């Protein structure tokens, strides 16, 4: 029995899960904009959210969803990559979402892969989130290490935006995209667990059988820094959006 406050929603497939979450988010953006302020979104990269971004682009093109009053903060970026590196999260977010919607360029925030001073860059990132009024909705994936953002095992619940060493499992998983393990960055900048948990609402997407065991640990296992996604268990408004395969061990 999950002892969790977080909700689990199981869908027939990933496209259905992503359409459901995108429709929820479109409603949330509209209701926040009606209050006269920008909706502040925390965004994630990886293979998992691709159908979600595709659906947001469709809602923009076909159903008038506007991002004119949306501000975004991405979770993380690889250290050492230039913005225009094909595997940078800057490139990913522009290719998959930002180039296809009406978000003002100045509303987009992604940690730099080449900051002059890492500590002050991280502190500025935290300050920018606070200045925006905090994150209304945070999108997450989950790595096979249980990470949210790049909060690898051992990341404290109170952790903030910082430099982190990537877990070997995470680097393995990224190796095909980088054409070999030796090309995968060793470090990244990531929002901390504490940063993420302050979001007012959180949606975590996980699909496929290879995520099933870590999804079970995150939802039914102990709340532990060894699986940073387990911290979602006592967030007041966090939901897991799963396909049947990812939910297969619950
Ligand atoms: P994936 O990555 O979507 O490419 O599986 C998820 C993550 O590491 O958070």
């Amino acid at each position: 029995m999950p002892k969790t406050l977080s909700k689990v929603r199981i869908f027939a497939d990933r496209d259905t899960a992503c359409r459901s979450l995108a429709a929820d988010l479109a409603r949330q953006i509209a209701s926040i904009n009606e209050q006269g302020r920008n909706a502040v979104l925390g965004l994630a990269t990886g293979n998992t959210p691709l159908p979600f971004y595709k659906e947001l682009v469709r809602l923009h093109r076909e159903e008038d969803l506007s991002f004119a009053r949306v501000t975004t903060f991405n979770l993380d970026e690889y250290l050492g990559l230039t913005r225009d590196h094909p595997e940078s999260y800057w490139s990913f977010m522009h290719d998959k979402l930002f180039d296809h919607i009406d978000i003002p360029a100045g509303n987009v925030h992604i940690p730099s892969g080449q900051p002059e001073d890492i500590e002050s860059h991280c502190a500025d990132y935290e300050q920018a989130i606070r200045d925006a009024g905090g994150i209304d909705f945070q999108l997450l994936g989950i790595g096979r290490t249980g990470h949210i953002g790049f909060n690898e095992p051992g990341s404290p619940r109170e952790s903030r935006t910082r430099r982190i060493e990537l877990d070997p499992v995470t680097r393995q998983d990224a190796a095909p995209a980088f054409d070999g393990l030796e090309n995968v960055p060793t470090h990244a900048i990531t929002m901390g667990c504490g940063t993420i948990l302050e979001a007012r609402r959180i949606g975590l997407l996980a699909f496929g059988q290879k995520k099933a065991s870590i999804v079970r640990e995150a939802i039914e296992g102990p709340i532990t820094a060894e699986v940073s996604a387990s911290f979602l268990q006592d967030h007041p408004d966090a939901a897991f959006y799963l396909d049947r395969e990812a939910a297969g061990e619950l």
Side-chain angles (χ1 to χ4, degrees):
M1 260 285 281
K3 54 183 172 312
T4 161
L5 277 182
S6 44
K7 291 173 286 185
V8 178
R9 303 189 56 188
I10 301 167
F11 296 85
D13 55 57
R14 62 190 69 195
D15 285 351
T16 318
C18 286
R19 278 200 301 272
S20 170
L21 183 57
D24 285 354
L25 182 60
R27 282 189 291 272
Q28 191 179 0
I29 292 170
S31 102
I32 292 169
N33 286 168
E34 272 165 28
Q35 296 162 27
R37 65 179 182 90
N38 275 24
V40 183
L41 311 184
L43 297 179
T45 51
N47 288 318
T48 305
L50 289 174
F52 178 74
Y53 292 140
K54 217 172 144 195
E55 176 64 4
L56 290 184
V57 171
R58 191 196 68 78
L59 288 170
H60 170 66
R61 287 191 177 147
E62 296 176 15
E63 301 193 27
D64 291 334
L65 172 61
S66 174
F67 295 81
R69 286 187 296 154
V70 167
T71 301
T72 65
F73 290 90
N74 263 79
L75 284 166
D76 44 20
E77 179 61 284
Y78 290 112
L79 268 172
L81 301 193
T82 55
R83 279 184 174 181
D84 62 1
H85 187 288
E87 291 306 316
S88 78
Y89 289 158
W90 177 276
S91 295
F92 177 99
M93 288 308 303
H94 286 79
D95 290 351
K96 306 303 178 198
L97 184 65
F98 298 143
D99 288 351
H100 312 288
I101 59 174
D102 60 341
I103 190 164
N107 290 10
V108 165
H109 303 83
I110 303 176
S112 170
Q114 300 192 304
E116 260 175 46
D117 176 328
I118 292 177
E119 267 187 41
S120 67
H121 183 65
C122 293
D124 291 349
Y125 204 72
E126 290 275 338
Q127 188 60 47
I129 295 172
R130 279 193 292 275
D131 290 347
I135 292 173
D136 292 299
F137 172 76
Q138 176 69 56
L139 178 70
L140 297 174
I142 181 170
R144 288 194 302 136
T145 61
H147 68 209
I148 49 176
F150 273 136
N151 289 286
E152 301 290 20
S155 294
R157 182 185 200 121
E158 299 73 28
S159 51
R160 310 303 306 189
T161 303
R162 69 202 187 288
R163 174 180 185 266
I164 189 140
E165 182 172 3
L166 297 176
D167 189 276
V169 171
T170 299
R171 294 189 64 240
Q172 263 316 332
D173 283 347
F178 281 90
D179 249 343
L181 187 59
E182 66 280 12
N183 302 319
V184 181
T186 55
H187 291 78
I189 288 183
T190 184
M191 279 187 202
C193 297
T195 322
I196 292 169
L197 292 168
E198 282 170 12
R200 290 184 268 281
R201 178 170 167 244
I202 298 177
L204 184 149
L205 296 171
F207 305 130
Q209 194 265 330
K210 76 172 196 207
K211 297 288 174 73
S213 74
I214 196 66
V215 161
R216 177 179 47 74
E217 282 188 59
I219 296 173
E220 298 181 0
I223 298 178
T224 167
E226 292 311 302
V227 178
S228 64
S230 68
F231 292 137
L232 301 180
Q233 288 184 26
D234 54 13
H235 187 280
D237 193 1
F240 287 76
Y241 289 70
L242 309 175
D243 65 2
R244 289 200 185 109
E245 287 77 19
E249 295 188 21
L250 296 178

